[in-house]
Amino acid sequence: TCKHFSLQEAYCEYLRIIHFLSYALLEEATSQSKNCVFQTNLFCARVISLITVSPSDTSVVSSPKSSSPTKKHRRVLSDGGGPSSSFIPPEVFQQLQTLKLQDSGKKELTPIEEASRLNQKLKANYEARLARLTPGQAYQKTSLTLSLQRQMMENLVIAKARQDALQRKMEDRRLRLQEEANRRFAASGAMTAEEQEQRILYTNVLEYEQDHDWPKLWKAKIKMNPDNMNLMSELVSCLFSHSDHPVVKLLRKLQYCIYNELYPIVSTSVQSPGVEFRPSLSSQNLQEQGPIHFTVLSLSFCVLCISDQLLSLCLLSFECLNTATSKDLCLASIEEAFFTPLWSAVMALFRKVNREREQAFVASVRLYRDASPADFGVPLKLFPPEGRSPQGSYPYQSAVQELKLVIKDCCPQRKLDCIVRTLRLICACAEDYRCLHEAESAPKTAAIGADDLLPILSFVALRSQCPQLVSECAALEEFIHEGYLIGEEGYCLTSMQSALSYVETLHTGTSHLGT
Amino acid sequence: LVMAAGGTGGGKTYSFKVVLLGEGCVGKTSLVLRYCENKFNDKHITTLQASFLTKKLNITGKRVNLAIWDTAGQERFHALGPIYYRDSNGAILVYDITDEDSFQKVKNWVKELRKMLGNDICLSIVGNKIDLDKDRHVSVEEAESYAESVGAKHYHTSAKLNKGIEELFLDLCKRMMETAQAEERLKGNGVSQSASNRRGVQIVDDEPLATPAGGCCSSG
């Protein structure tokens, strides 16, 4: 199945929720004035305007508009609690991303850069020769100096002329390519902002293809083997490895926008769960949580818009990718490239939102960390008989270890794969344990249904002792495409969430272990 | 290039999610396993074994991908039901004909499903273990009239004797297809839907290179 979604539907849904939430927040705000409500409203307004209205400039981030929100954030920070050191400021984040960009792409020198490099060499030569002059040859110094100055000046003048010519050529080319883009999207009356944006992006792609050969070579290769899926997947990873390609540049720009918005929220102190535990939401807490839920909502909508926009740019760059399977490949690459540097900030946001739930999880772990699978209602035949576990290990240990890896990865899809592996390991272990009990009976279909799976999964979740899983799963649900969630991955994520919710309720004593 | 274009559902594949509900010990798991064993040998069962199963069907020339989600029957997991059955197209509610209590549980689920998902979800109520008819504690009349009163279909099955299972799934698929087609027509007539299509069927246009599935079923 193709994960492609209808953006319009998603947008309507988003507006409906915003409508509902802003009504609720308004009610709340009329009783006490709340600045932060306004603050988070700005979040989506800013990001959405960035994505939908002014995406014209794909040359990464140096545009002045990106600097103004940053200033605002500083002010917010000095108003609120002190900044914590765990997150780098957006400017540094941007620099780091750009640095990676330059590392991987060899950059050609402009004529002026070339000339000044040459001049530096000349100057070094000149200094070396001066040093070798004997006192008697001092008269040569003047002529050497003059000659150096003349040479350096000439080099610069020539370079300047070359640069100007080059620039004129580039401008001509840009105009020509713009016309080509206009022809491709035949104009029908007035252009919408979206159409305009698409043209500009397409012009950037054309311009890139003038300077680089690999897109042409790839297109030819795909034309020869149009049905080769391996080739498609190679093309997609090739595209995302070229950090100077318009697709990757746009991705970096949008990534920076999101980080810029997340930073002020997540860099204020986060209390780690387990320090104190309050069993119920106080009314004050609800007020803090309202706007932050709003942020999660805006974020997931923005991510949806962003992947849609990046996907259409991929398809503009390579028409051959316009099939359901190739689109999935693109979306997966977009997701991985987009989330990897952002995940720790995203996670900090989700951990703030889910703090109460994580605390409940911790409380249950404290109470039941030594419980056995039997205490969770796992039938005796599905865990090793007393004393049959290898020294120092406990039942389903391999599944617990796999589950702990979820928080190590930074890409939603890979995290989801990790959860799927955990459930499969549980099934494999269950089968092994059953064989221990029924050594001689022929191996029947030792299939475990949800009646057995859920208790075991709850045991495994608790033994992982990892409250962050609660927030990780909540984030996965938000960011994994719906089309994926009908399949095995969706089933595993749903079961994982059920097991976690169950563990959260354990410490209250209302749900009994076992039976 | 052979694909029929234009006609409703011509080159389309329906994807349906079916959730399996029932108290522990009513035989949900055996029921699904039976359904799959009939067509395949064990190695085709996904590594998640009996909890999550997929099946590809070909019904009246249309392709259907079925995803069957098993749920835990124990009381303590009930609060978590909604996250399992959201976006479901169909539900199979199983009770044990020798256990009146399990029938009562089915009634509770029906109420909850109708409340949460409305009338778009196709319900099948299943009285399992008809091989134990001599110990029957839920009368056929009562069960069937209850099913009718809530707009559900009723089936009698025995996982042990492999009775009534194939019909149950086939019939449910047909009803889900009808619901999906009605929804499509509604959309085609320009009648706007009140809610987004989140819950709805996912109908996926085939890629041009996909060839129509040959035989009836294969496991995914």
Side-chain angles (χ1 to χ4, degrees), chain A residues 91-144:
Chain A
E91 309 88 84
V92 182
F93 177 85
Q94 178 192 348
Q95 277 163 9
L96 270 176
Q97 296 303 315
T98 330
L99 213 68
K100 277 186 212 155
L101 214 149
Q102 279 164 351
D103 276 351
S104 45
K106 294 169 284 188
K107 208 167 168 279
E108 256 178 61
L109 295 178
T110 66
I112 294 207
E113 282 168 338
E114 222 172 302
S116 69
R117 197 169 277 197
L118 186 66
N119 283 351
Q120 268 167 2
K121 267 188 210 153
L122 289 174
K123 204 169 169 219
N125 274 342
Y126 157 81
E127 274 156 7
R129 285 181 70 178
L130 276 194
R132 271 185 272 123
L133 287 180
T134 58
Q137 294 170 308
Y139 64 95
Q140 281 189 19
K141 188 185 166 188
T142 326
S143 95
L144 276 177

Side-chain angles (χ1 to χ4, degrees), chain B residues 118-172:
Chain B
N119 286 322
D120 289 340
I121 183 165
C122 300
L123 300 185
S124 298
I125 297 175
V126 179
N128 193 30
K129 304 194 185 174
I130 51 168
D131 48 296
L132 301 175
D133 201 60
K134 58 176 171 31
D135 297 321
R136 179 184 276 281
H137 277 95
V138 181
S139 82
V140 175
E141 300 75 42
E142 189 200 346
E144 287 183 341
S145 71
Y146 169 74
E148 207 186 327
S149 73
V150 293
K153 284 263 186 140
H154 190 278
Y155 305 86
H156 305 275
T157 61
S158 163
K160 194 173 174 190
L161 306 175
N162 192 15
K163 271 194 176 156
I165 298 170
E166 191 73 30
E167 296 90 308
L168 154 70
F169 280 95
L170 192 67
D171 200 52
L172 177 62

Side-chain angles (χ1 to χ4, degrees), chain A residues 420 423-424 427 447-450 453 484-492 494-495, chain B residues 16-18 20 29 32-33 36 44-55 66-71 84 219-220:
Chain A
V420 173
L423 268 82
R424 289 183 172 183
C427 291
I448 61 164
L453 184 66
Y484 262 173
L485 293 182
I486 195 175
E488 189 181 19
E489 289 105 330
Y491 184 79
C492 291
T494 303
S495 301
Chain B
F16 294 127
K17 172 178 165 184
V18 175
L20 195 60
T29 309
V32 232
L33 279 179
C36 295
H44 282 102
I45 296 173
T46 65
T47 31
L48 271 189
Q49 301 186 6
S51 308
F52 173 80
L53 289 153
T54 58
K55 189 145 169 156
L66 206 58
I68 306 166
W69 290 42
D70 191 13
T71 65
Y84 275 97
S219 154

Side-chain angles (χ1 to χ4, degrees), chain A residues 325 431 446 450-451 477 491, chain B residues 28 47 49 70 73-74 86 207:
Chain A
T325 344
E431 209 165 321
D451 288 344
E477 198 195 338
Y491 184 79
Chain B
K28 296 177 278 152
T47 31
Q49 301 186 6
D70 191 13
Q74 298 94 324
R86 74 174 159 207
E207 280 179 62

Side-chain angles (χ1 to χ4, degrees), chain A residues 272-284:
Chain A
S272 65
V275 180
E276 50 162 339
F277 175 63
R278 278 166 300 165
S280 67
L281 279 168
S282 65
S283 63
Q284 192 203 343

